Amino acid sequence: MSAEETDQDNPQRRASAVAKAFLMKSSTKTNTNLYDHLTQVLLKILDERPLDAVDVFEDISRDVKRMQYVDKQSTLRDLREENPAETLAQLQRALFNRQEEQEDELVEPALPNLSEVGFHLEQIGVGLGREELQRVFLALKQLVETHSVPRCRFWGKILGTENNYIIVEAEYREGEEEEEQSAEERFGEGDHEEKEETEDLQDLLPESTYKPPPVVPIEAPGTGTNKYVYYVCKEPGFPWTRLPAVTPAQICTARLIRKFFTGRLDAPVMSYPPFPGNEANYLRAQIARISGGTQVSPQGFYQFKEEEGNEEDEVSQDSYEVNPDFEGLSAVKLAESLSTWVHHTQHILQQGRCTWVNLTLKAEELNEEGEEEREEEPEEAEPEMGPPLLTPLSQDAELFNTAPWTLRISSSLTPEHAVAFVRSNLWPGAYAYATGKKFENIYIGWGLKYAGEGYSPPVPPPPQREYASGPEITEALDPVVEEEQALKDALEEQEAAREEMEEEEEEDEDD
């Protein structure tokens, strides 16, 4: 290339560079420049290839500008999903609403003083914390207002794998028994009609000779294991659910299984032996077992009721009342021996009831087939007797070489202001404290009994024996023709001999 050509190209290149620099100059209003804008417009025209590019050039230029100024982040916020903590806070918000128009005479005696209970529980190192205990108190207040509970007590908290159970113990109302009985009667009438229909269809079928053992009857509401009514909820603020009455079969089966709670009342209980009910029934059975073994009080706080005309022994008494002359025991004395603590809840017998019932008499009432079968029945069983009420803890038996109770005092430095308490080793999580004239029981745990070093589930029962062999069921060979003919001849000879003897007897009578 010659020097003249380079001299001619340099001014063109300089002009091109100056023009490009002018086009790339940024706008004072926006951060864009004409060079980039024209580049984007031309690229869009080449991509879309409109028919009349000259006519729509301004529209395409306007669309390119709009695309640059579109806000990628919208000013409208997305609806944020609430986490479980916020949902729980919304439910518990209603607990803090004050209701001024409320009868103090109904609420004050029905609610326990959980603030005082929580203070004493802190002294022994047990409890749910002040904040959670305050929410539980507000939930108890809501329970009293919505369910018209005459009196209630914070029983404790049972932990679960998914949710926990907050449990409240309430006194039984008189009207609830009639409602339950009417429901059972309606349920029984339907069963009776179905049984009549099935009996009509099964008239032609052979009847089984097996007779199931008599069912242990359930204890009446307000007595025994069904003395109190229990309400549960997952967290304070959730609706309260009343647990059904417990049956002896459920208690007996709960003793044989070991199952963690899930936190869902309608969850099935998969176990062996099969449990007769769902988790709500299993929870109620465990509550009855824990209450029967861990509800204790200082000796002398309760006394047996003195009923006029009652000549029975003191051991058979199953009711008690608060002793008005009880002056309280010091914490030092309560911490010295287990004899200063007594059980104030009835012991649950092997039948699954607190009071023994004679099943042999019930079987005789149901048996109406004949006197021969009645004679074959076993003799009357001996009544089962458990430890009486107000039995000292010192008489409790050990389990797996473990003492049933541990006795402690909250502070040995200032015993005059300390709190004495006992801890159950058979039901980990059960505590009872006493100070002055006041005491309280609480349970916070998994709802399982101490099983020693390891738990072995029960094995299935042995298989039934084969039917005994005998001539009536033993299969025999068919006789041949000669054997049949010989049997026929023998029968004819016996018949002929019998007829001859009858004729001789008639002739002797005529003579």
Side-chain angles (χ1 to χ4, degrees):
M1 183 180 293
S2 62
E4 296 179 357
E5 292 179 356
T6 56
D7 294 336
Q8 293 178 358
D9 293 339
N10 290 335
Q12 295 178 357
R13 292 180 181 178
R14 289 196 209 97
S16 174
V18 172
K20 185 176 181 181
F22 174 77
L23 294 176
M24 296 182 66
K25 187 178 180 180
S26 299
S27 175
T28 57
K29 297 180 180 180
T30 61
N31 294 328
T32 58
N33 54 69
L34 184 58
Y35 183 86
D36 294 337
H37 177 69
L38 292 175
T39 303
Q40 294 177 4
V41 171
L42 293 176
L43 290 175
K44 187 173 183 179
I45 292 174
L46 294 175
D47 292 338
E48 298 179 359
R49 295 183 182 276
L51 297 177
D52 300 328
V54 178
D55 300 332
V56 297
F57 183 84
E58 292 80 4
D59 297 334
I60 296 175
S61 177
R62 185 170 55 253
D63 295 339
V64 171
K65 287 183 179 181
R66 287 178 179 176
M67 290 174 60
Q68 293 178 355
Y69 293 108
V70 171
D71 191 4
K72 297 181 180 179
Q73 184 178 2
S74 176
T75 56
L76 298 178
R77 296 181 180 179
D78 296 334
L79 181 61
R80 186 170 56 87
E81 297 181 359
E82 294 183 354
N83 52 30
E86 294 179 350
T87 304
L88 179 61
Q90 291 294 335
L91 292 174
Q92 294 180 351
R93 185 178 180 180
L95 299 177
F96 295 89
N97 295 334
R98 297 185 58 184
Q99 297 182 2
E100 298 179 358
E101 298 179 0
Q102 186 68 29
E103 297 180 0
D104 296 336
E105 297 180 357
L106 175 64
V107 178
E108 289 181 358
L111 292 173
N113 190 356
L114 283 188
S115 299
E116 182 181 3
V117 173
F119 171 76
H120 292 113
L121 290 177
E122 287 182 0
Q123 306 303 314
I124 65 176
V126 183
L128 304 178
R130 298 182 181 180
E131 183 178 348
E132 183 175 1
L133 202 62
Q134 182 64 25
R135 291 198 296 265
V136 171
F137 174 75
L138 296 177
L140 290 181
K141 183 179 180 181
Q142 187 183 45
L143 173 65
V144 172
E145 295 172 354
T146 55
H147 292 75
S148 300
V149 176
R151 190 177 182 84
C152 64
R153 183 182 73 88
F154 178 52
W155 187 88
K157 183 176 182 179
I158 289 183
L159 309 179
T161 57
E162 300 178 11
N163 298 299
N164 303 325
Y165 290 118
I166 295 176
I167 305 169
V168 174
E169 181 183 87
E171 292 183 355
Y172 201 87
R173 290 183 299 173
E174 296 180 357
E176 293 177 346
E177 182 177 358
E178 299 177 356
E179 296 176 0
E180 288 188 358
Q181 289 181 353
S182 60
E184 291 178 359
E185 291 175 358
R186 291 193 298 268
F187 182 74
E189 291 177 358
D191 289 350
H192 183 67
E193 295 177 357
E194 294 179 358
K195 289 181 180 179
E196 290 181 353
E197 295 178 358
T198 54
E199 287 178 358
D200 296 340
L201 299 175
Q202 295 179 356
D203 288 340
L204 302 178
L205 299 178
E207 296 182 359
S208 175
T209 58
Y210 170 75
K211 294 181 180 180
V215 180
V216 181
I218 185 175
E219 290 186 293
T223 61
T225 55
N226 293 318
K227 183 177 181 180
Y228 297 101
V229 181
Y230 293 91
Y231 295 87
V232 298
C233 69
K234 296 188 296 184
E235 290 287 345
F238 281 83
W240 290 95
T241 303
R242 178 183 169 182
L243 296 179
V246 65
T247 63
Q250 293 170 354
I251 294 178
C252 294
T253 308
R255 289 170 171 169
L256 302 176
I257 64 177
R258 189 174 178 84
K259 194 80 174 177
F260 280 105
F261 292 94
T262 62
R264 293 180 287 108
L265 294 176
D266 57 347
V269 180
M270 307 299 293
S271 63
Y272 181 83
F275 184 80
N278 54 11
E279 187 165 301
N281 304 106
Y282 178 52
L283 176 62
R284 181 63 181 86
Q286 291 298 90
I287 291 175
R289 296 179 61 200
I290 296 172
S291 299
T294 63
Q295 299 291 316
V296 298
S297 58
Q299 187 179 20
F301 186 88
Y302 291 112
Q303 64 179 4
F304 291 108
K305 290 184 178 180
E306 296 180 0
E307 298 179 358
E308 297 180 359
N310 186 11
E311 299 179 356
E312 297 181 357
D313 297 335
E314 294 182 359
V315 176
S316 62
Q317 295 180 356
D318 55 355
S319 60
Y320 55 85
E321 61 183 359
V322 178
N323 184 10
D325 300 330
F326 179 70
E327 297 180 356
L329 300 175
S330 63
V332 177
K333 188 174 182 179
L334 289 171
E336 287 179 353
S337 174
L338 291 174
S339 300
T340 56
W341 298 81
V342 296
H343 291 275
H344 62 262
T345 303
Q346 287 183 301
H347 176 74
I348 302 178
L349 306 176
Q350 294 297 324
Q351 278 188 338
R353 292 168 50 97
C354 294
T355 55
W356 185 78
V357 60
N358 192 354
L359 298 179
T360 57
L361 296 178
K362 185 178 180 181
E364 291 178 359
E365 294 177 358
L366 297 176
N367 187 7
E368 299 178 356
E369 295 183 359
E371 297 181 356
E372 297 180 358
E373 295 183 359
R374 294 181 183 180
E375 294 178 357
E376 297 177 358
E377 293 181 357
E379 298 179 357
E380 183 177 356
E382 296 182 359
E384 182 184 359
M385 298 294 295
L389 279 173
L390 307 183
T391 301
L393 302 188
S394 57
Q395 300 183 10
D396 290 4
E398 295 184 356
L399 183 65
F400 301 108
N401 297 325
T402 302
W405 297 94
T406 299
L407 193 59
R408 291 287 185 272
I409 190 170
S410 61
S411 175
S412 59
L413 299 177
T414 57
E416 60 274 6
H417 302 293
V419 178
F421 67 97
V422 289
R423 182 184 70 231
S424 176
N425 297 326
L426 305 184
W427 289 97
Y431 293 85
Y433 75 86
T435 172
K437 298 183 180 180
K438 299 179 180 180
F439 78 95
E440 190 60 54
N441 293 268
I442 193 171
Y443 178 84
I444 302 175
W446 293 94
L448 299 178
K449 192 175 183 180
Y450 175 66
E453 296 180 356
Y455 169 73
S456 298
V459 297
Q464 295 183 352
R465 297 180 179 179
E466 295 288 342
Y467 194 86
S469 300
E472 67 277 3
I473 64 169
T474 303
E475 187 175 358
L477 299 175
D478 294 337
V480 296
V481 178
E482 291 78 5
E483 294 177 351
E484 290 181 352
Q485 188 63 33
L487 180 62
K488 184 177 180 182
D489 296 341
L491 293 175
E492 290 177 354
E493 291 178 0
Q494 292 178 2
E495 184 67 19
R498 187 176 62 78
E499 291 177 356
E500 291 178 359
M501 293 178 64
E502 291 178 355
E503 291 177 357
E504 291 176 358
E505 290 178 356
E506 290 177 358
E507 290 176 359
D508 294 339
E509 291 178 357
D510 294 339
D511 295 341

